[in-house]
Amino acid sequence: MSPHLSILFVTLAFSLHCVIISASDPDPVQDFCIPNPRYGSVRIAHLAILPCKNSSEATVNDFVFSGMQSAGNFSDTGLAAIPVNPTIFPGINTLGMSFIRADLKVGGINPPHFHPRATEISYVVRGSVYSGFVDSGNRVFARTIEEGEVMVFPRGLVHFQMNVGDKPATIFGSFNSQNPGSQKIPAAIFGSGINEELLEKTFGLSPKQIGRMRRKFDPRV
């Protein structure tokens, strides 16, 4: 093989490698970027990108968030979640991270869901939480996580949580993306408008049963 051809292959391989690793949040090119709401935003995919303030205008308050000191509003599944991203916490903008506080009533659940753009680290602040995920071979990795323990949910894999203790539970989750995304499985299947006949054949349910699920998870029905 000629030297020029060898160099070409090495260059192509390096370029492909760069494309692969750029799939995650980009590395910051400055110490921090506090969004400046005074200027119009640029819409990119799922994000509205705001220009940065001049660093001289940043204050310590930009890097402190106090909105997780108490639980949020509970859903009918017994879950109260407070997701935190750069929209409400400017200091984490461009740093490739976000986080969430989740509270579970006794018996409450965080239904099966996944984050398409992030791995999650889940830390049990208090309580006993049955936690787990399912890999691409349909193998479940699950156990009860006690106060002070941590579990990781790999990126893009379905995971779930349930309070199995006799007192409320609090969980702190951290993501390696400022926009991890979240899709809850029941809502994605029955609340997205997928053809009902397809759902009937997939799950072996009657039209009446499918209709009941649609009414529960699709706000348009």
Side-chain angles (χ1 to χ4, degrees), residues 14 21 31 67 77 79 89 101 137 141 147 179 185 188 206 215:
F14 179 76
I21 64 174
D31 290 345
T77 65
L79 169 70
F89 186 11
R101 170 178 172 153
F141 295 81
E147 184 174 314
N179 185 33
I185 303 304
S206 69
R215 287 190 295 274

Side-chain angles (χ1 to χ4, degrees), residues 29-202:
V29 295
Q30 53 204 6
D31 290 345
F32 51 81
C33 171
I34 305 302
N36 192 334
R38 289 181 296 180
Y39 300 101
S41 63
V42 178
R43 191 75 185 177
I44 300 177
H46 302 278
L47 290 175
I49 305 299
L50 288 169
C52 307
K53 286 183 181 178
N54 189 299
S55 60
S56 63
E57 298 179 52
T59 71
V60 66
N61 290 332
D62 290 320
F63 303 97
V64 177
F65 181 74
S66 304
M68 298 177 66
Q69 296 173 329
S70 58
N73 298 320
F74 284 91
S75 69
D76 57 2
T77 65
L79 169 70
I82 303 175
V84 181
N85 55 49
T87 303
I88 60 174
F89 186 11
I92 63 174
N93 187 46
T94 73
L95 300 184
M97 65 174 298
S98 55
F99 47 91
I100 189 170
R101 170 178 172 153
D103 291 86
L104 291 166
K105 294 181 178 179
V106 175
I109 66 168
N110 189 3
H113 64 283
F114 66 95
H115 306 289
R117 294 180 290 276
T119 292
E120 178 181 2
I121 290 285
S122 179
Y123 170 70
V124 176
V125 178
R126 64 170 180 161
S128 299
V129 182
Y130 175 71
S131 304
F133 66 89
V134 181
D135 71 5
S136 56
N138 272 349
R139 181 182 176 188
V140 64
F141 295 81
R143 54 164 280 193
T144 298
I145 306 300
E146 303 290 351
E147 184 174 314
E149 291 189 302
V150 173
M151 188 169 189
V152 63
F153 303 131
R155 173 181 173 178
L157 296 186
V158 173
H159 53 282
F160 47 83
Q161 294 163 316
M162 179 171 65
N163 184 355
V164 294
D166 57 4
K167 62 181 180 180
T170 300
I171 304 159
F172 180 89
S174 181
F175 306 95
N176 64 341
S177 170
Q178 71 176 47
N179 185 33
S182 181
Q183 278 198 292
K184 295 189 181 299
I185 303 304
I189 293 173
F190 297 104
S192 59
I194 295 176
N195 181 279
E196 291 190 15
E197 182 181 356
L198 184 148
L199 295 177
E200 292 167 18
K201 292 179 178 179
T202 299

